[in-house]
Amino acid sequence: MLNEKHITVVKSTIPLLENAGPALTQHFYQRMFNHNPELKDIFNMTHQQTGRQSVALFEAIAAYAKNIENLSALTQAVERIAHKHTSFNIQAEHYQIVGHHLIETLRELAPDTFTPEVEQAWTAAYLFLAQVFIDREDALYQLNASLDGGWRGAREFTIDNKTVESDFVTSFELKPADGRAIAGFKPGQYLGIEVKPTNSEHVEIRQYSLSQAPNGASYRISVKREGEQSHEGNYQGVVSHFLHNELKVGDSLMVYPPAGDFYYQETDKPVVLIAAGVGATPIQAMAHTLANTHKANVSYFYACESKSEHTFADETKKLIELNNWQHQTWYRDQHGMMDLGKIVDLPIVDGEFYLCGPVAFMESVVRQLDAMNVSRESIHYEVFGPHAYL
C-alpha cells in the first residue's frame, strides 16, 4: 500500500534518477531481455536499437516520481500507454516481470543509495502504478470484446487488397478470416499487427494507423517501408519490408483490436488537419469521416519531400474538391517547409488542430501555432513509436 512515507522517499530519489538518465532504462531493458528473452516477441526490438524506447521509459519513470502526489497530471499519459499496451496484448503477469527487473536495476545501479527503505518505497510505488494500468487495460480489453464485431487478443485477418499510395507507402485492406463482423473505431486510431517475418527470430508486433473511416467490413492500414538492410542482415523496418515485399493478397496476419487515444472528436468548430509524410494515415481516416458527415469548415495541409512521396494524393484531392475544403500542399524540393503563417483564413481562435508526422515537423508546426497564440488544448497530435512531448 502506497503511503505518505513511501511518497516522500520516492521523491527524494528524483536526483538519483535524473543523474542516471536513460542509462537506467537501457540497463533495465538489457537485464530484462537477458533474463526473460520471451519478451522479445512483444517489445519492438528496433526501438531498443535506436534507444527511443529507453528514453521514453526514463521520461515516464521520472514523470511518475515527480507527480506521485498528483497522479491526475499523468491521466493523459496513462491513457495513451494503456491503449498501446492493449495493442501488444500486455497482461497482468507482465507487470510482475517488469517490476522485478526495475527494482533490481535500481539496486544494481545505486547499491549505496538503494537502502531497504528506498526499495520498499519504490516497490509500493511501482505496484500502485502497475495496478492502475492493469485495471485500465482490463477495462479496454472488456470494452473491445463487448463491441459488435469486437474481440479480445489476436484475430486472424487476410489481406484483401494492396494499393501503392506513394514511393514508400502501401495500403493493405484487411478482412476477418472468419467472415464475421468487425468492430468500429475512432478515426485516428491504429491496429496492432502481429507477424513472423522470414528473416526475424522473433514474432513482431507493430501498430499501424487506420487510414479510412469505419465501413463495417474491412480495415485499411497504410504502411511506410522503413530503413535499409545492414551488413549484419538486420534492418530497421523489418516488419514494413515484410509487409511490402513478401505478404501478398490472400495471406494472413494476426490483428489486435483498434486502439489509441488520438482521434477526431466531433465538434461544430473548424477543424484543421495537418500532416507530413506517412503521418497522413490517421489524418486520412479523419478526412474520410469529416467528408462522410459533410462538414464544411475543414482545412487540410500536407507536406512531404516530393510529389512522388505524396501519400493519398488523388484520394485527398477528391475529398477536398467534393467538400470545398481549404487546402495547401508543400513539397520540400519545390516549396520548402510548411509555413502556416501564409494561410489567410486559419481559424486561430476557435479551430481544433490535428497533427501527425515526424517529430521535428510537428515541433515546427506547434511552434508556429504557439506564435499565433493557438491554445495548446486545441492541438492534438500523434507520435509514431515511443512517445515524445512537443
Side-chain angles (χ1 to χ4, degrees):
M1 186 72 179
L2 187 64
N3 58 39
E4 289 300 322
K5 182 179 179 181
H6 294 148
I7 290 172
T8 300
V9 172
V10 167
K11 289 180 74 70
S12 74
T13 64
I14 291 175
L16 169 66
L17 296 176
E18 292 178 333
N19 185 58
L24 183 152
T25 45
Q26 290 171 4
H27 182 94
F28 158 78
Y29 279 120
Q30 290 171 1
R31 188 184 205 285
M32 184 173 69
F33 291 135
N34 284 337
H35 287 82
N36 294 91
E38 71 278 8
L39 294 184
K40 293 181 179 181
D41 286 335
I42 298 177
F43 285 80
N44 185 330
M45 299 310 294
T46 294
H47 291 158
Q48 300 301 319
Q49 297 170 11
T50 64
R52 290 182 63 193
Q53 187 63 56
S54 294
V55 172
L57 178 60
F58 169 75
E59 290 176 346
I61 292 173
Y64 177 46
K66 292 176 180 178
N67 292 281
I68 195 168
E69 293 175 295
N70 179 30
L71 292 183
S72 61
L74 302 178
T75 300
Q76 186 176 4
V78 168
E79 188 70 4
R80 181 182 64 251
I81 295 169
H83 274 271
K84 184 63 71 72
H85 283 179
T86 63
S87 70
F88 282 107
N89 201 34
I90 297 296
Q91 302 297 314
E93 57 266 25
H94 294 133
Y95 283 95
Q96 298 174 9
I97 298 172
V98 168
H100 168 73
H101 291 296
L102 177 61
I103 296 302
E104 292 305 311
T105 293
L106 293 171
R107 189 196 317 280
E108 291 165 3
L109 291 186
D112 297 332
T113 308
F114 200 67
T115 64
E117 182 181 53
V118 172
E119 178 177 353
Q120 184 183 57
W122 263 103
T123 299
Y126 174 79
L127 291 175
F128 179 84
L129 184 61
Q131 196 60 51
V132 170
F133 278 111
I134 289 169
D135 291 344
R136 180 56 185 142
E137 288 157 22
D138 186 59
L140 290 172
Y141 286 131
Q142 292 188 46
L143 174 63
N144 289 336
S146 69
L147 296 173
D148 183 23
W151 72 96
R152 181 168 184 162
R155 181 178 177 184
E156 184 180 0
F157 278 67
T158 57
I159 299 173
D160 191 61
N161 193 29
K162 286 178 69 172
T163 304
V164 175
E165 306 288 3
S166 63
D167 277 359
F168 299 109
V169 176
T170 293
S171 289
F172 298 79
E173 185 176 346
L174 309 176
K175 290 189 174 181
D178 58 18
R180 301 175 65 182
I182 58 172
F185 60 90
K186 297 173 181 178
Q189 291 189 304
Y190 52 78
L191 292 179
I193 305 296
E194 179 181 303
V195 294
K196 179 63 172 67
T198 52
N199 62 340
S200 174
E201 58 183 303
H202 306 294
V203 170
E204 303 280 358
I205 301 175
R206 297 291 187 272
Q207 291 73 33
Y208 295 111
S209 296
L210 291 147
S211 58
Q212 276 186 333
N215 60 29
S218 64
Y219 295 130
R220 186 180 77 170
I221 59 171
S222 301
V223 180
K224 180 183 179 182
R225 187 178 67 251
E226 299 278 3
E228 298 295 337
Q229 191 162 6
S230 71
H231 295 299
E232 292 77 21
N234 300 316
Y235 50 73
Q236 296 179 23
V238 58
V239 174
S240 66
H241 278 254
F242 179 66
L243 291 171
H244 275 250
N245 302 333
E246 297 190 43
L247 287 189
K248 305 178 297 296
V249 171
D251 287 343
S252 297
L253 67 171
M254 306 305 292
V255 175
Y256 293 96
D261 68 327
F262 171 73
Y263 50 83
Y264 169 66
Q265 302 170 51
E266 189 171 350
T267 179
D268 292 329
K269 297 179 180 180
V271 172
V272 182
L273 306 176
I274 304 176
V278 73
T281 52
I283 299 300
Q284 198 72 359
M286 296 182 190
H288 278 283
T289 300
L290 293 167
N292 290 344
T293 58
H294 306 291
K295 187 171 177 63
N297 50 349
V298 175
S299 302
Y300 192 120
F301 304 125
Y302 180 74
C304 62
E305 292 294 322
S306 64
K307 185 175 182 179
S308 65
E309 294 185 28
H310 189 159
T311 300
F312 307 124
D314 292 339
E315 182 177 295
T316 304
K317 182 180 179 182
K318 292 177 182 177
L319 291 174
I320 290 169
E321 291 178 347
L322 285 173
N323 294 279
N324 197 31
W325 291 342
Q326 178 180 210
H327 75 283
Q328 189 164 330
T329 298
W330 287 259
Y331 298 140
R332 190 161 77 162
D333 64 350
Q334 298 179 31
H335 313 114
M337 306 294 286
M338 180 179 289
D339 184 357
L340 297 177
K342 296 181 179 180
I343 305 300
V344 176
D345 297 323
L346 200 66
I348 293 170
V349 176
D350 60 346
E352 294 291 333
F353 295 78
Y354 291 87
L355 285 59
C356 193
V359 172
F361 164 79
M362 291 194 292
E363 287 174 339
S364 172
V365 170
V366 169
R367 284 196 300 269
Q368 293 179 54
L369 296 178
D370 282 344
M372 299 175 191
N373 295 317
V374 173
S375 168
R376 278 295 181 107
E377 286 71 30
S378 299
I379 303 173
H380 318 277
Y381 65 93
E382 175 81 307
V383 175
F384 291 157
H387 189 71
Y389 292 94
L390 304 183

